[in-house]
Amino acid sequence: MTNRLESVSARRLACARCGTEFTCDPSGACWCFEETVRLPLPSEGQESAFQDCLCRDCLHAFAAITAAR
């Protein structure tokens, strides 16, 4: 079986919430792999508040807001 993430290279992103630039590396070297905070990924065709990755600060802030609901 082939791991789809093995062939994905790191990319430079702007946070979908605040615009802060950061590097996303889905192959496993991304900072988010170390995080205990997880947000559900939207399914295909499902609306989401954000269409791409969040920076560390916004991930924590959005998770706190979501948990408070």
Side-chain angles (χ1 to χ4, degrees):
M1 180 184 281
T2 303
N3 182 348
R4 293 181 303 147
L5 297 179
E6 287 178 357
S7 62
V8 178
S9 59
R11 59 193 179 130
R12 198 77 184 140
L13 293 178
C15 174
R17 184 170 182 240
C18 73
T20 298
E21 289 190 8
F22 63 96
T23 301
C24 173
D25 188 354
S27 68
C30 190
W31 60 265
C32 69
F33 282 82
E34 301 167 358
E35 288 293 325
T36 57
V37 173
R38 300 280 188 249
L39 296 177
L41 293 174
S43 301
E44 188 173 323
Q46 180 185 27
E47 283 297 315
S48 172
F50 305 106
Q51 296 302 313
D52 212 336
C53 298
L54 301 176
C55 69
R56 187 182 309 257
D57 290 341
C58 287
L59 175 66
H60 284 262
F62 192 70
I65 291 167
T66 304
R69 292 183 186 168

